[in-house]
Amino acid sequence: MLNRLPELLKRSWFCLLLVGVFLFFFSFCKKVQITKSEVSVPIPPPEKSPGIGDSTIVIDDVEFVIKSYFWQDFMPMIPKKGPPFYLLFKLKITNKKEKELVDFCAVKTTLYYEQTNQQFHSFYLIPTAGTKPKEKILPGQTKNLEYTNDRSEVFSPKVEQGTKLYAQILLSWNRKEHILTSPPSGVEYTY
């Protein structure tokens, strides 16, 4: 038994080293995920409310051109919970960095009434059919991505047609979070 002790210690250290490497690697590869309770925590409003012309934004050498669409759906019939509220963000993203953007995604958004810090609602975001859950954007590359609210979560507010809202959008890439502010856009009704 004493003869095997050095070999057992070597194996134990090797196993501990493997576990340590795995945990270290896993901590850098974790996905950006949020729980339903975290969706309700609002993204804080910006220091200054955005204007209509604030559609091009640069964050950390990444250029964003954003278009926001908000609407309440009254067709073909109104469900018991009321007409659902939907949103769509169209992002044109140009990577002006010298390194690629890895695991780019939009995670959640908080909407605010135009020219105020008054919160409208927070939504979990999902990519539309043409956008992957995690995107890679190479240096100098431009991509058009789209994100919408999770339609399985019905939100039916009482909001007048034309009410202008702006968005604070939580983005993630290269294991860092960033907030993108959209210009205000009016709520439409669909019949």
Side-chain angles (χ1 to χ4, degrees):
M1 179 75 171
L2 289 175
N3 293 342
R4 294 187 53 200
L5 188 60
E7 186 178 324
L8 289 172
L9 286 174
K10 285 181 187 177
R11 286 185 183 177
S12 297
W13 281 108
F14 181 72
C15 289
L16 284 173
L17 180 65
L18 279 178
V19 168
V21 168
F22 173 77
L23 291 173
F24 179 78
F25 179 75
F26 183 74
S27 70
F28 280 103
C29 295
K30 69 178 186 175
K31 294 180 180 179
V32 176
Q33 294 180 343
I34 56 174
T35 64
K36 288 186 179 183
S37 63
E38 290 172 317
V39 170
S40 63
V41 176
I43 300 167
E47 291 180 16
K48 179 183 170 220
S49 294
I52 297 292
D54 295 330
S55 62
T56 301
I57 299 113
V58 177
I59 301 172
D60 192 25
D61 291 329
V62 180
E63 182 180 276
F64 295 89
V65 178
I66 180 169
K67 291 184 181 177
S68 305
Y69 302 91
F70 309 123
W71 70 97
Q72 199 153 14
D73 191 2
F74 289 87
M75 58 183 270
M77 58 186 221
I78 301 173
K80 287 182 181 178
K81 291 184 179 181
F85 183 89
Y86 297 128
L87 59 84
L88 176 69
F89 297 121
K90 292 186 175 190
L91 304 177
K92 180 180 177 184
I93 305 160
T94 303
N95 181 5
K96 296 185 174 190
K97 298 172 82 66
E98 292 188 14
K99 65 178 190 173
E100 65 187 20
L101 307 183
V102 179
D103 293 337
F104 180 94
C105 64
V107 181
K108 76 174 191 174
T109 186
T110 300
L111 303 183
Y112 290 90
Y113 291 96
E114 179 185 35
Q115 297 296 317
T116 74
N117 291 338
Q118 183 183 352
Q119 181 186 347
F120 177 73
H121 194 72
S122 291
F123 298 91
Y124 176 72
L125 295 175
I126 58 173
T128 63
T131 301
K132 297 176 191 169
K134 301 282 184 175
E135 290 277 351
K136 181 188 288 188
I137 306 171
L138 300 173
Q141 185 179 25
T142 297
K143 276 196 176 184
N144 294 301
L145 307 178
E146 294 183 358
Y147 297 90
T148 188
N149 56 312
D150 182 359
R151 308 287 169 93
S152 68
E153 299 290 326
V154 177
F155 173 63
S156 180
K158 291 185 179 181
V159 59
E160 291 185 28
Q161 186 173 8
T163 300
K164 291 198 174 177
L165 305 170
Y166 69 91
Q168 290 286 82
I169 306 167
L170 180 63
L171 305 173
S172 176
W173 69 82
N174 297 1
R175 297 185 304 267
K176 293 183 182 176
E177 294 181 343
H178 307 272
I179 297 175
L180 175 65
T181 303
S182 78
S185 183
V187 175
E188 299 294 330
Y189 284 179
T190 57
Y191 295 101

